[in-house]
Amino acid sequence: MTLRHRHTRPLFRAALLAVLIGMGGVAASPTLACDAACQERIDKLAGEAKARDQSVGRGPNNTVVVQHGAGIPVLKCRPLHFCTIQLQPGEVLREDLALGDTVLWLAELRVSGTDLEPHVRVVVKPDAAATRTSLLIPTDRRFYDIQLVRSDTEYTPVMAFTYPAEVAAATRAKVAKDAALRAERQAQVAIEEARQSLKVGTREVFSGDLDFRFDIRGKAPFKPTRVFTDGRKTWIDLPDRYRGERPVFLADGPGQANQAVVNSRWQGNRLEIDRVITGGALVIGVGRQAQKVILRRMSR
C-alpha cells in the first residue's frame, strides 16, 4: 500500500542545522555559519527524512493505518478476496459510495456496533479481470478518496486511518480551555488576596471589617469591579483599565424618583463617598444616550 502525495514536504534546513550543532556535527558560531561539508550533511539528512514515509503505519491485526489528508491512499486487493476500509467509530455515510468501475469491482457497507456508536466498514472485492479504479466515500465528517488496485502478490486486508487535523484541533481547544481556566483561577486568587487586605486611602484595612455586599447591574464600560463600605464611608472601584469620563454618582433618596449628588471625590479610578449608601446610580450623559450602572446594597 502506497500514498500518492499531493504536496512535497518542506525541508526544515534551519532545524537540521540546529540539530547538527547540538550533536557536535557542526561547529557553532554566533551566526550559525555552515560550510560546504555542513550543507552537504544537511541535504543528506533532509533527503533521508523526505524519503521516509511517516504517514503510513501498522496497526493491530495486520491493519495498515494511513494518515488522512497526507495523500491519496492506494489499496491493493487480491482477486476474489475482500479488502476492508475501516472508518472512524461513530462516522456514517451521508451519500452512497461512488465507485469508478462497478462492473469489475464490488464495494459494499458493513455496519456493527450500536446506533449511538456505529462501526462502519467498506468491503471491497476485485474481479479476476479488474485492474484499477477509484472509490469515493462521503461521510458526515470528511471525504475519503482512495485508489483501488488489483494485485496478485500484494494484499492489504484492512485499511484504517488516523486524523491529525482532528487531533490538532482538539489540542488547540484543550490549550485554549486550560488557558481560560488558569486565567479564571488567577482572577479568583487575585480577588481573594485583595479581600484579605485592602488599601483604603493610606490605610491597610482587613477585608473582614468591610462590607462588599452590593449588587452591581449595568453594561457600561465603567461598571465597577467592587463596591464596599466600612460603616462610615463607601468606596466604588472602576475597572483598572478604564480611562474614560468619570461618571456622576446619584444616591437614592426618599421615593423612587428622588436621587441626589452626595459629597464624594475621585482618587484615580476609586470614588470615595462620605456616607454609607443603600443604593444609587453611576451616570454619564442624559436622556436616552445616558449610560447608567445601578448599585444596591444587599441586606444580610
Side-chain angles (χ1 to χ4, degrees):
M1 203 286 298
T2 58
L3 281 178
R4 295 182 179 178
H5 290 279
R6 293 192 178 102
H7 305 288
T8 301
R9 295 179 183 175
L11 304 180
F12 299 100
R13 297 178 180 273
L16 284 171
L17 177 58
V19 171
L20 285 171
I21 291 173
M23 295 171 60
V26 180
S29 70
T31 58
L32 291 179
C34 187
D35 57 17
C38 160
Q39 191 62 54
E40 182 180 351
R41 178 66 172 158
I42 290 176
D43 290 341
K44 180 180 178 182
L45 289 177
E48 291 175 357
K50 179 182 177 183
R52 190 183 307 118
D53 190 353
Q54 299 178 352
S55 60
V56 180
R58 181 176 296 278
N61 302 321
N62 292 323
T63 299
V64 174
V65 181
V66 181
Q67 245 186 43
H68 184 270
I72 300 178
V74 178
L75 179 62
K76 295 183 178 181
C77 299
R78 188 176 298 168
L80 304 180
H81 287 74
F82 284 119
C83 293
T84 60
I85 301 166
Q86 183 175 301
L87 305 187
Q88 190 177 31
E91 189 173 17
V92 295
L93 266 69
R94 295 193 63 175
E95 300 176 16
D96 292 337
L97 298 171
L99 182 61
D101 184 352
T102 58
V103 176
L104 300 177
W105 288 83
L106 172 71
E108 295 180 341
L109 288 180
R110 295 292 184 269
V111 182
S112 61
T114 65
D115 292 339
L116 296 178
E117 188 77 0
H119 292 256
V120 177
R121 290 194 176 198
V122 179
V123 178
V124 178
K125 183 174 71 170
D127 186 81
T131 54
R132 64 170 57 235
T133 189
S134 59
L135 174 65
L136 182 64
I137 307 173
T139 76
D140 59 342
R141 300 177 185 176
R142 58 186 64 86
F143 280 97
Y144 296 86
D145 189 357
I146 302 171
Q147 292 292 311
L148 305 178
V149 176
R150 193 212 75 183
S151 175
D152 296 324
T153 57
E154 299 181 36
Y155 176 50
T156 305
V158 181
M159 176 188 289
F161 293 86
T162 59
Y163 306 93
E166 191 172 279
V167 172
T171 300
R172 288 193 298 270
K174 185 178 185 304
V175 169
K177 181 179 179 181
D178 291 345
L181 289 174
R182 283 196 302 272
E184 183 178 350
R185 285 195 295 267
Q186 290 171 356
Q188 290 296 328
V189 169
I191 291 173
E192 292 302 321
E193 289 178 348
R195 288 193 172 188
Q196 292 299 320
S197 180
L198 190 64
K199 189 170 184 178
V200 180
T202 59
R203 300 178 297 134
E204 290 287 340
V205 181
F206 175 57
S207 62
D209 295 333
L210 301 173
D211 184 359
F212 294 87
R213 293 174 301 106
F214 284 83
D215 183 35
I216 306 171
R217 298 191 181 186
K219 296 183 179 180
F222 54 83
K223 181 178 180 179
T225 56
R226 63 186 172 190
V227 180
F228 58 95
T229 178
D230 64 352
R232 296 183 301 109
K233 294 185 178 184
T234 304
W235 291 268
I236 300 174
D237 286 348
L238 303 189
D240 291 338
R241 295 183 179 181
Y242 179 70
R243 296 293 182 270
E245 178 184 351
R246 294 288 185 268
V248 174
F249 178 73
L250 300 176
D252 288 348
Q256 294 183 353
N258 295 323
Q259 287 187 322
V261 177
V262 294
N263 290 335
S264 62
R265 66 204 56 83
W266 286 99
Q267 299 173 348
N269 274 16
R270 171 175 289 176
L271 178 64
E272 179 180 336
I273 303 173
D274 293 335
R275 53 178 276 193
V276 177
I277 65 169
T278 57
L282 290 168
V283 182
I284 291 179
V286 295
R288 295 183 178 181
Q289 303 299 320
Q291 294 179 296
K292 182 182 293 187
V293 175
I294 304 299
L295 310 178
R296 290 284 182 272
R297 190 179 183 187
M298 296 182 288
S299 59
R300 294 185 180 275

